[in-house]
C-alpha cells in the first residue's frame, strides 16, 4: 500500500504495450482523430464466477462474491487462468491501437539517453557512479580511485539479471577498508532481498548468503560484521535487526533488535561520519532512532529518545552533537541540537532553527560548518543554508518559482559543497553542486530529453482551487504555450497521491511530454493527505478526515474546468497505490467528471485488507486508515472503501493495472474490484484490467521495459480524447 508514489507519478508501472522488437515498430500512424479507430469492443469481457462469502464485523455483514480470488501462493490455476483471460481481453480490445502503442513506446524511450552515466560521488577514497549503455536495461556499478583512472566493475546488473524475468539490486555497501562489497538482489519483485558479499580484490563471492531481508545492509567498521533487517515472510514487515559475522551461517546471526509493535516499519542506515549505525523506527504518528556503535558492533544498542505517541524525530550526527529534526513542541517541526552524551535528556537540547507555524521543515543535511534545511512555506519550496560558524542564513537561489529538489549524494562531512537534485515541471532533472559559502552553483549534469527539446516553449503555474469547505488546494500545472488556449478546450490529465504525508513536488517527467505536446494540460493536485502545506495538511487527510482527500481531488477537477484550464468532456484522472484508492473513491463519488481513469496497483478493498493482519503491511497502516476492530474506524473506512461502494451506475472508461507479485497491494484487490465493477456498472465504457505476471508493485524492472505500461496508458488516453499522434 505504501511508498511507490514517486515512480507511479512517472506514468504507470505495469507492463502493457508489448514491444517485441524495439527497432521494428510502426513507422507511421494515421494523422487523423484516434477516435476514428474502431476498437474490438464486441469482444466479450471476462465474467468472473461468484462464490458468496460473508464477512461480519460490528453487526455488519458484507457478502464478498469474489473473495475466492485471493491465493497467497499465486499458484491457483483457475485464478491464473482468469488473469490470463483478462490480459487477452486487453490485447484483443486494443489491438487496433497496437501501432499507436508501439509508436508511443518508441517516442518515450527516445527521451532516454542510451549511453548514460551518473555524476561520480567521492566517498572514502573512491569515485562511485553507475553507467548505462546501448540497449541494456540495467546499470553497471563502477568505481575508480581518480576521475582519470580506468574504472573497476563492482556489479553488472545486466549479467546478473540473465535468466530472471524480474531483477533488482536493492542496495550495496562497501566495507571501511574498501575490500568487500555487500549487496542485495530481488528476483521476484516481492521486495524480499537476498544479501551477498563479494571480495573486490579477487572478484569472488564469499559463502555468506543472507536471505529474507529488506535489502539494506550496513557495515561495522571492523570490516567483519554487517547489519541487516529481516522481514516477516507473511506480513513482509521488516522487524528484526541482525548482526552477521563473515564466515558464519545466517542461523548463527545475533538478533540485536526486534520490533514487537506491528504498526512500525524498521530500517537501518549509517551516520555520515561512519561512527554510528541508526535503527529507525517509523510509524505514521511517531518516529525514533536507536543507536549502535559502528566501531564496537557487539556493544549494546542505545535508544536516542524513547518513543512517544505523537512524537516524531530524526537525527543527524555531527562532530560535536546530534542535529534533531523534531515535532516536539513544534507542529511543523523545528531543529534542535543534542549533545553526544546524555542526549536522551531533552532539557539539554539547544534550539537551532525555531518552529514557525507557517513553515514546514521537511529535511536537513549536516556538514562540518553548515546546516542546510529544506523547508516549505505555502507549499513553495526553498533550501536555506545556515552557516554554523557565523550564524548567517541564506536561501539557495533557483531559476523556477515552483520546483522540486532534494539532497543528493553528500557522503562527506568536511566540505563546503552541497549536491542536490533539482527539477521543475519545465526543467529536466539536474544534478547541481552548490558552494555553501558563496551560493554559487554548478550544473554537473542535466538529463537529456532530446536534441530538439526547448524548455522555453512550456509554461507552469501554481493555482489555488477552493474546496467545498473553503480550504484552498494548491495545484501545479504544466502545458505547452502554443497549444494552450485557456478557453475550456484543452484535455486535462490530473494526477494526485494524497496519503502518508507524501508530497508530490512539481518536477519534470519526460513521459508527460507525450501528452503535453499534443495539447494536454497536466495537473498535480496537492490534496490533503500529503504535506504540501505542512503537517496539518496531512492530518486533515487521514483517518477520520480521509474523505477530504477525495473531495479535494474532485473539487480541483471542477475548479480547473470552471477556470477553463480543461475541456469538461475530456478530463482524465490517474493515481497509483494509495493514489489508486483515490481513483476508486473518485469514480464512485463523481464518475461523471471523468472521461477516463487510470488506476495503477490500486488499494481498493480497504476494509477487508485492513481487517486481516496476515496481509502484508496491513498492521503498519493502522495509523493511516484505522483499525477495523474499532467500530468507529470500521464504519468510516466502509463509507469510502472503493470495493464496498461499487454500485449500479455509469462509470468512466477505466484502465486498471497490477502485478501478480505485488508486495504492497496484493493483486487480488484490483482483480476483485474489476470483477465487481463488471457486475454492477450500467455503461458500455471500456474496463480494461492488465496484470504483469512477472512483476510486483514497482512494475517491470528494466529502464526501457517500464515504458511499455506508459505507452499502453497513453494510447488509451489519446484514443479516448480523440487526439492524433
Amino acid at each position: 500500500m505504501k511508498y511507490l508514489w514517486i515512480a507511479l507519478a512517472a506514468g504507470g508501472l505495469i507492463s502493457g504495450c508489448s514491444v517485441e522488437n524495439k527497432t521494428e515498430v510502426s513507422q507511421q500512424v494515421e494523422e487523423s482523430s484516434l477516435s476514428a479507430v474502431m476498437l474490438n469492443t464486441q469482444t466479450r469481457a471476462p465474467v468472473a464466477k461468484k462464490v458468496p462469502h460473508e464477512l461480519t464485523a460490528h453487526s455488519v455483514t458484507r457478502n464478498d462474491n469474489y473473495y475466492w480470488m485471493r491465493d497467497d501462493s499465486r499458484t491457483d490455476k483457475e485464478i491464473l487462468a482468469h488473469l490470463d483471460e483478462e490480459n487477452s481481453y486487453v490485447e484483443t480490445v486494443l489491438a487496433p491501437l497496437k501501432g499507436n502503442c508501439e509508436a508511443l513506446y518508441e517516442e518515450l524511450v527516445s527521451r532516454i539517453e542510451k549511453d548514460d552515466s551518473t555524476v561520480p560521488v567521492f566517498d572514502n577514497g573512491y569515485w562511485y557512479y553507475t553507467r548505462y549503455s546501448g540497449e541494456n536495461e540495467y546499470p553497471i556499478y563502477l568505481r575508480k580511485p581518480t576521475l582519470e583512472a580506468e574504472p573497476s566493475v563492482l556489479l553488472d546488473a545486466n549479467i546478473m539479471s540473465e535468466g530472471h524475468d524480474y531483477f533488482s539490486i536493492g542496495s550495496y555497501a562497501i566495507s571501511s577498508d574498501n575490500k568487500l562489497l555487500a549487496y542485495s538482489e530481488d528476483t521476484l519483485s516481492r521486495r524480499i532481498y537476498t544479501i551477498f558479499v563479494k571480495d573486490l580484490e579477487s572478484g569472488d563471492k564469499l559463502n555468506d548468503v543472507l536471505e529474507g531481508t529488506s535489502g539494506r545492509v550496513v557495515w561495522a567498521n571492523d570490516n567483519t560484521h554487517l547489519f541487516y533487517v529481516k522481514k516477516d515472510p507473511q506480513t513482509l514487515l521488516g522487524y528484526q535487526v541482525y548482526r552477521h559475522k563473515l564466515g558464519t551461517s545466517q542461523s548463527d546471526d545475533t538478533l540485536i533488535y526486534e520490533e514487537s509493535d506491528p504498526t512500525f516499519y524498521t530500517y537501518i542506515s549509517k551516520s555520515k561520519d561512519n561512527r554510528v549505525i541508526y535503527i529507525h523506527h517509523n510509524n505514521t504518528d511517531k518516529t525514533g532512532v536507536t543507536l549502535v556503535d559502528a566501531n564496537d558492533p557487539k556493544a549494546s544498542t542505545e535508544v536516542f529518545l524513547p518513543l512517544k505517541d505523537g512524537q516524531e524525530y530524526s537525527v543527524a550526527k555531527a562532530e560535536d552533537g546530534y542535529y534533531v529534526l523534531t515535532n516536539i513542541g513544534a507542529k511543523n517541526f523545528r531543529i534542535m541540537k543534542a549533545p553526544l552524551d546524555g542526549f536522551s535528556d531533552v532539557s539539554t537540547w539547544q534550539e537551532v532553527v525555531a518552529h514557525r507555524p507557517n513553515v514546514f521543515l521537511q529535511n536537513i543535511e549536516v556538514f562540518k560548518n553548515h546546516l542546510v534545511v529544506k523547508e516549505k512555506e505555502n507549499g513553495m519550496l526553498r533550501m536555506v543554508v545556515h552557516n554554523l560558524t557565523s550564524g548567517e542564513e541564506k536561501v539557495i537561489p533557483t531559476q523556477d518559482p515552483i520546483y522540486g529538489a532534494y539532497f543528493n549524494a553528500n557522503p562527506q562531512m568536511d566540505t563546503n559543497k552541497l549536491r542536490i537534485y533539482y527539477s521543475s515541471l519545465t526543467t529536466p532533472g539536474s544534478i547541481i553542486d552548490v558552494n555553501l559559502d558563496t551560493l554559487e552553483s554548478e550544473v554537473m549534469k542535466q538529463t537529456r530529453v532530446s536534441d530538439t527539446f526547448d524548455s522555453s516553449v512550456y509554461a507552469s503555474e501554481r493555482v489555488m482551487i477552493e474546496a467545498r469547505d473553503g480550504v484552498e488546494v494548491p495545484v501545479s500545472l504544466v502545458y505547452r504555450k502554443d497549444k494552450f488556449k485557456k478557453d475550456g478546450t484543452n484535455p486535462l490529465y490530473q494526477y494526485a497521491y494524497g496519503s502518508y504525508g507524501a508530497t508530490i513536488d512539481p518536477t519534470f517527467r519526460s513521459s508527460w511530454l507525450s501528452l503535453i505536446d499534443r495539447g494536454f494540460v497536466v495537473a498535480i493536485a496537492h490534496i490533503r493527505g500529503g504535506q504540501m502545506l505542512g503537517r496539518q495538511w496531512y492530518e486533515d487527510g487521514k483517518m477520520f478526515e480521509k474523505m477530504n482527500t477525495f473531495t479535494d481531488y474532485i473539487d480541483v477537477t471542477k475548479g480547473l474546468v470552471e477556470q477553463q484550464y480543461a475541456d469538461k468532456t475530456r478530463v482524465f484522472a490517474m493515481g497509483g497505490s494509495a493514489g489508486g484508492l483515490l481513483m476508486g473513491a473518485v469514480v464512485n463519488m463523481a464518475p461523471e467528471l471523468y472521461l477516463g481513469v487510470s488506476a495503477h496497483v490500486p488499494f481498493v478493498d480497504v476494509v477487508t485488507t485492513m481487517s486481516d493482519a496476515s496481509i502484508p503491511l496491513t498492521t503498519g497502516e493502522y495509523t493511516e486508515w484505522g483499525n477495523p476492530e474499532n467500530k468507529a474506524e470500521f464504519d468510516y473506512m466502509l463509507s469510502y472503501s472503493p470495493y464496498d461502494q461499487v454500485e449500479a451506475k455509469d462509470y468512466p472508461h477505466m484502465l486498471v493495472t497490477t502485478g501478480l507479485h505485488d508486495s504492497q497491494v496484493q493483486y487480488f484487490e484490483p482483480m476483485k474490484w474489476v470483477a465487481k465493477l463488471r457486475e454492477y456498472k450500467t455503461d458500455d465504457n471500456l474496463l480494461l484490467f492488465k496484470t504483469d505476471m512477472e512483476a510486483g508493485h514497482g512494475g517491470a524492472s528494466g529502464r526501457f521495459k517500464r515504458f511499455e505500461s506508459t505507452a499502453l496508458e497513453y494510447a488509451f488516453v489519446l484514443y479516448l480524447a480523440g487526439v492524433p499522434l
Side-chain angles (χ1 to χ4, degrees), residues 658-707:
T658 191
L660 180 62
H661 300 287
D662 198 325
S663 59
Q664 311 297 105
V665 179
Q666 307 304 301
Y667 76 90
F668 45 82
E669 288 202 38
M671 185 182 183
K672 291 168 55 179
W673 183 46
V674 168
K676 190 171 183 179
L677 282 167
R678 284 231 171 87
E679 178 186 354
Y680 278 82
K681 76 189 192 81
T682 55
D683 58 83
D684 293 324
N685 291 332
L686 295 172
L687 176 55
L688 305 174
F689 178 43
K690 182 73 175 179
T691 302
D692 189 318
M693 305 300 281
E694 280 81 43
H697 199 67
S701 55
R703 62 169 175 156
F704 298 120
K705 186 174 175 58
R706 64 189 176 92
F707 283 105

Side-chain angles (χ1 to χ4, degrees), residues 131-146:
R131 183 178 68 207
Y132 288 93
S133 60
E135 301 294 332
N136 287 336
E137 292 277 9
Y138 300 98
I140 302 172
Y141 297 82
L142 304 153
R143 76 172 182 179
K144 49 189 176 182
T146 67

Side-chain angles (χ1 to χ4, degrees), residues 385 394-397 416-420 432-444:
V385 179
K394 295 180 180 179
V395 177
I396 297 175
N416 70 340
K417 283 190 176 181
L418 166 75
R419 178 164 291 179
I420 63 172
I432 299 175
D433 283 355
V434 181
N435 185 306
L436 295 174
D437 294 316
T438 66
L439 298 191
E440 294 177 349
S441 62
E442 179 182 3
V443 178
M444 307 301 293

Side-chain angles (χ1 to χ4, degrees), residues 508-525:
F508 190 84
R509 279 90 161 165
S510 67
S511 61
W512 282 352
L513 294 178
S514 292
L515 299 177
I516 297 168
D517 285 345
R518 293 179 172 89
F520 274 76
V521 173
V522 172
I524 305 174

